[in-house]
């Protein structure tokens, strides 16, 4: 099977990164988000530190929001470990659903195995040596399949 590795937003396939700065903000839960990373990081604090969640939402650079979240790990919502995958699914789905040109690129990867290749993350990425869970890659492949299915259905049906 063909494999596509990605990590940094300015490298080939950088649009797969959550740090990729979108051409226009995405709307999720009635608010605008600069990147899927912004949404994901803010969701850790919506119930425990809403002022921090809002600061994350309104901070420009995705690398800064990641650091803000890391510095405040003790303020995370208690159920974070059990909901984080679904929060990521929602963020990634909305990123591609609301940006058709990015959806086209994702669909253009065909059936390739998508791998976030980084030694610094063995949960969302492959751990650098393939031993990681690669959850972001798996979620991207789920979103790709969902996009493919939604585009092959009737689309905008008229009654």
């Amino acid at each position: 099977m063909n494999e596509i590795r990605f990590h940094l937003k300015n490298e080939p396939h950088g649009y797969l990164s959550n740090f990729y700065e979108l051409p226009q903000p995405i709307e999720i839960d009635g608010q605008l988000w600069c990147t899927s990373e912004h949404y994901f990081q803010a969701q850790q604090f919506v119930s425990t530190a809403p002022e921090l969640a809002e600061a994350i939402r309104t901070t420009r650079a995705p690398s800064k929001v990641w650091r803000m979240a890391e510095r405040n790990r003790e303020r995370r919502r208690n159920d974070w470990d059990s909901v984080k995958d679904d929060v990521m699914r929602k963020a990634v789905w909305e990123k591609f659903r609301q940006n058709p040109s990015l959806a086209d690129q994702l669909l253009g990867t065909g059936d390739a195995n998508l791998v976030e290749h980084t030694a610094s993350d063995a949960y969302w990425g492959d751990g650098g040596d393939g031993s990681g869970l690669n959850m972001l890659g798996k979620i991207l492949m789920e979103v790709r399949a969902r996009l493919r299915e939604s585009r092959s259905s009737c689309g905008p049906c008229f009654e």
Side-chain angles (χ1 to χ4, degrees):
M1 177 187 280
N2 187 22
E3 182 174 276
I4 294 174
R5 292 181 174 190
F6 67 94
H7 180 57
L8 299 177
K9 64 183 180 180
N10 57 348
E11 293 178 345
H13 300 288
Y15 69 94
L16 297 171
S17 168
N18 283 327
F19 284 55
Y20 182 79
E21 295 180 37
L22 302 167
Q24 61 188 27
I26 53 176
E27 183 179 335
I28 308 174
D29 299 336
Q31 294 184 302
L32 295 177
W33 305 88
C34 294
T35 67
S36 49
E37 185 73 10
H38 282 74
Y39 177 79
F40 178 78
Q41 296 299 345
Q43 297 316 295
Q44 297 177 69
F45 309 103
V46 291
S47 60
T48 57
E51 74 290 345
L52 177 57
E54 181 62 11
I56 287 171
R57 189 182 73 79
T58 58
T59 296
R60 182 71 188 134
S63 57
K64 285 186 180 180
V65 302
W66 181 85
R67 284 192 299 275
M68 289 168 73
E70 284 299 303
R71 282 194 306 265
N72 288 280
R73 294 175 79 140
E74 74 284 350
R75 298 175 73 189
R76 278 184 185 155
R77 55 195 272 188
N78 292 335
D79 65 348
W80 183 243
D81 285 336
S82 65
V83 301
K84 66 183 177 183
D85 289 359
D86 287 335
V87 170
M88 183 65 79
R89 276 185 188 89
K90 183 175 185 175
V92 173
W93 169 249
E94 291 299 335
K95 170 185 175 175
F96 288 97
R97 185 185 71 79
Q98 294 182 40
N99 287 280
S101 64
L102 294 181
D104 289 343
Q105 290 181 71
L106 178 58
L107 288 167
T109 64
D111 291 324
N113 189 35
L114 303 178
V115 177
E116 184 178 26
H117 181 59
T118 175
S120 63
D121 193 333
Y123 186 80
W124 297 112
D126 69 352
D129 62 2
S131 67
L133 294 176
N134 187 38
M135 286 305 297
L136 179 56
K138 290 174 182 173
I139 288 171
L140 283 160
M141 290 183 283
E142 289 173 16
V143 166
R144 179 179 64 195
R146 189 173 168 193
L147 285 168
R148 190 177 292 142
E149 185 174 309
S150 70
R151 287 192 177 184
S152 69
S153 67
C154 70
C157 296
F158 299 97
E159 296 179 32

